[in-house]
Amino acid sequence: MSLGQQLHPHLPFLRRYARALTGSQNHGDAYVRAALEAIVAAPEEFPTDVDPRLGLYKTFHAIWSSAHLEDVPAIGSGREAIAQARLARLTPLPRQALLLTALEGFTVDDVSYLIDMDSSDVEALVEEALSEIEAQTRAKVLIIEDEPIIAMDIETIVRDLGHDVTAIAVTREDAVREALADRPGLVLADIQLADDSSGIDAVKDILAEFSVPVIFITAFPERLLTGERPEPTFLITKPFQRATVKAAISQALFFDEATAPA
């Protein structure tokens, strides 16, 4: 099997990670593209003593760590400019450690390899990131989820983080009505809803009315990670860990200009 064939299944998830890290599909995809170009230019340098997925993320991190965000030309307006301004004030390592463990499912030892730090230091970074989550922001959250147990679990996580839940909607129609009745600062949306309507369509309807960060929750992430535009910046795979939801909420609100400090 060629190197390209080995890496291909992991690319959608690397794009997900890159977008969560940067807060931008364009910005994240640019880092992924640079990593792939580096692999194509020097395939003999690709790590062969580890799993291909680890080697891919290792190459990505080499590109990420060498391209400091403060050296990237500023973008005049929009979410990417907001992201750059906030990233300049925060050390990215804690967020990397949290996203790699919580979102991507790597072990502490894996992350230690990826970012060249001792395992104990990685654990400390994760704790630091979790502390930042608690102190970072506060928002009103709309949950679009038709499974009651999952909806209650998500609601508990959201409230434990200090946010308010405006409503739990189970259909596309419910979601749009609730969003217009009490405008949320964040939307958590499942894809398949109670009446066979689509959470994707619900989100499109809401975004047609106003801008709001969205986190999709799905058992089938490959349906959204197709490489077509636009792709969701924040995507959680079912079944999820509480830390995964916390990490995604933190990142989504971190890049949103309307979110008020906690």
Side-chain angles (χ1 to χ4, degrees):
M1 185 182 294
S2 69
L3 180 58
Q5 290 173 318
Q6 294 179 59
L7 298 181
H8 184 266
H10 307 301
L11 291 178
F13 301 98
L14 180 63
R15 291 201 306 271
R16 172 183 68 178
Y17 169 66
R19 288 195 297 275
L21 187 63
T22 64
S24 159
Q25 180 172 337
N26 290 336
H27 205 174
D29 284 352
Y31 279 105
V32 173
R33 185 165 54 251
L36 294 177
E37 289 171 351
I39 294 172
V40 171
E44 70 281 358
E45 296 182 7
F46 187 82
T48 58
D49 56 341
V50 297
D51 180 84
R53 182 174 183 241
L54 266 179
L56 177 62
Y57 277 68
K58 180 71 170 179
T59 303
F60 171 86
H61 272 276
I63 299 296
W64 165 263
S65 62
S66 64
H68 299 295
L69 284 182
E70 57 266 29
D71 295 333
V72 177
I75 299 173
S77 62
R79 295 180 69 241
E80 292 190 15
I82 298 159
Q84 287 185 14
R86 289 180 172 172
L87 282 169
R89 297 196 297 268
L90 274 184
T91 303
L93 276 175
R95 294 192 350 270
Q96 289 180 47
L98 181 62
L99 289 172
L100 286 168
T101 53
L103 187 66
E104 299 303 314
F106 286 111
T107 67
V108 170
D109 288 340
D110 288 339
V111 178
S112 175
Y113 166 76
L114 291 174
I115 63 177
D116 294 318
M117 297 188 74
D118 292 337
S119 296
S120 59
D121 292 331
V122 171
E123 292 174 343
L125 288 173
V126 172
E127 289 299 321
E128 181 180 337
L130 290 172
S131 296
E132 288 180 357
I133 289 174
E134 295 177 357
Q136 197 176 91
T137 51
R138 177 169 294 150
K140 295 193 296 183
V141 181
L142 170 63
I143 298 172
I144 307 174
E145 171 61 66
D146 66 321
E147 298 184 39
I149 294 177
I150 295 178
M152 287 188 294
D153 193 21
I154 295 173
E155 181 180 16
T156 299
I157 295 170
V158 168
R159 293 193 186 279
D160 285 349
L161 288 172
H163 307 300
D164 298 321
V165 175
T166 61
I168 297 176
V170 298
T171 67
R172 174 183 180 180
E173 183 179 346
D174 288 343
V176 176
R177 183 178 62 253
E178 295 291 353
L180 295 179
D182 191 355
R183 179 169 172 169
L186 175 67
V187 175
L188 293 172
D190 191 6
I191 293 178
Q192 189 67 39
L193 301 180
D195 59 350
D196 290 328
S197 60
S198 167
I200 298 174
D201 290 336
V203 167
K204 287 180 179 178
D205 292 343
I206 293 169
L207 292 179
E209 299 295 332
F210 57 87
S211 177
V212 60
V214 177
I215 300 172
F216 280 105
I217 303 175
T218 175
F220 307 100
E222 65 277 2
R223 295 182 182 177
L224 289 172
L225 297 172
T226 61
E228 300 176 358
R229 296 178 183 276
E231 287 182 328
T233 298
F234 304 101
L235 177 63
I236 296 173
T237 304
K238 289 182 178 179
F240 54 79
Q241 300 291 326
R242 292 175 65 87
T244 304
V245 180
K246 288 183 178 182
I249 291 174
S250 171
Q251 293 300 293
L253 296 180
F254 179 83
F255 290 107
D256 180 54
E257 68 176 326
T259 304

